[in-house]
Amino acid sequence: MKKEIKITVPKNYSAISLSKYIQIENDMEQYKDDEQAQNAFLLYNLCGITPKIANSLDSETLNKINKDLSLFLNKTDFELQRFVTIDGVKYGFEPNLSKMAYGAYLDISKSESLLIDRNWKNIMSILYRPVTKERGALYSIEPYKGFDEKKSDMWLDVSMDVHFGCFFFFNRILKELTKDTLKSLREEALEDPEVNPHTKRILVESGELINRLLS
């Protein structure tokens, strides 16, 4: 007798919390040298497919599941969500990064890198603070009063579509800044009077002179 199995493949990150995502990433790192084990791990944690069930599926079905899963996991077109409601409290993203409190910058810089890892919840708790006033598209949030570990833990239960929205927002800014910086440095390198034209051309083409200026 054939047994019908219902398999649900996630289409977006709204069903995955930050805590689950970090756990998956940590476990995947343990199997980084075993692609088959990584695939089996993802099938189980994201789709509830055990190795026994996976072995009972035909190759066409399994390939389709893996393809859908790959599209889901490689998604990067996330938009920044300016507001997030947690436990009935509305939090707003820092409305003006150029005027953000210096203490907030210092606390963010304590993270080893701007990656979605165990420290990411701390960054989110600094960037998002309770909304105090709204007027049309404008809003204000609470002044930064210093890092609070208890408040950062609540971000572990927030879905990954929110976290990725913030992460890729900064990712896009970084790419634009890098592109503009390299363009500016290239122009500066070409105008450097201390380097003769022939040597200058070689250094610029190799990127060495730009690297010196960037340093």
Side-chain angles (χ1 to χ4, degrees):
M1 180 182 294
K2 291 185 177 180
K3 183 179 180 181
E4 184 176 331
I5 300 174
K6 184 178 181 180
I7 297 173
T8 302
V9 180
K11 299 295 183 182
N12 55 65
Y13 276 101
S14 62
I16 299 177
S17 66
L18 175 61
S19 59
K20 184 175 182 180
Y21 176 83
I22 293 175
Q23 183 59 55
I24 290 174
E25 286 290 293
N26 291 338
D27 290 338
M28 289 289 284
E29 178 64 21
Q30 294 182 22
Y31 299 108
K32 62 181 179 181
D33 298 322
D34 190 336
E35 186 177 346
Q36 187 174 356
Q38 282 190 331
N39 188 56
F41 181 83
L42 286 174
L43 287 174
Y44 176 70
N45 282 274
L46 297 178
C47 308
I49 301 175
T50 64
K52 183 178 179 180
I53 293 176
N55 291 333
S56 68
L57 299 174
D58 60 84
S59 58
E60 183 179 351
T61 299
L62 196 56
N63 287 336
K64 186 178 186 307
I65 292 174
N66 284 325
K67 183 179 179 180
D68 290 344
L69 204 56
S70 179
L71 290 173
F72 154 64
L73 292 172
N74 292 317
K75 180 179 171 63
T76 59
D77 56 336
F78 295 90
E79 293 297 325
L80 175 69
Q81 296 188 35
R82 293 189 174 275
F83 302 104
V84 182
T85 300
I86 306 174
D87 295 333
V89 178
K90 188 174 184 178
Y91 293 82
F93 183 78
E94 177 66 54
N96 192 334
L97 291 171
S98 65
K99 294 183 178 180
M100 186 165 68
Y102 184 59
Y105 277 115
L106 288 178
D107 286 339
I108 289 176
S109 67
K110 291 178 182 178
S111 297
E112 297 175 359
S113 58
L114 195 65
L115 296 174
I116 298 183
D117 54 18
R118 59 186 177 81
N119 293 317
W120 180 254
K121 64 183 179 70
N122 301 339
I123 295 176
M124 291 293 282
S125 71
I126 295 171
L127 292 173
Y128 284 88
R129 302 194 295 281
V131 175
T132 56
K133 186 186 300 183
E134 285 187 81
R135 186 176 181 180
L138 303 177
Y139 63 94
S140 301
I141 59 177
E142 282 187 359
Y144 185 64
K145 302 174 183 177
F147 175 68
D148 188 331
E149 182 72 34
K150 292 181 179 179
K151 289 185 178 180
S152 71
D153 285 342
M154 68 184 180
W155 289 94
L156 290 171
D157 297 324
V158 174
S159 58
M160 286 307 300
D161 55 332
V162 175
H163 292 289
F164 276 133
C166 182
F167 174 78
F168 284 108
F169 168 75
F170 283 109
N171 187 268
R172 286 188 288 269
I173 289 178
L174 179 60
K175 285 183 178 180
E176 288 300 316
L177 286 174
T178 301
K179 183 174 69 175
D180 292 343
T181 300
L182 289 176
K183 180 182 178 182
S184 176
L185 289 175
R186 188 175 290 107
E187 293 172 353
E188 184 179 341
L190 289 171
E191 296 173 358
D192 191 338
E194 297 183 4
V195 184
N196 68 68
H198 177 67
T199 303
K200 185 185 298 181
R201 188 182 73 255
I202 296 175
L203 289 174
V204 170
E205 289 176 354
S206 68
E208 180 58 33
L209 188 55
I210 294 175
N211 288 333
R212 293 180 189 178
L213 291 170
L214 186 59
S215 296

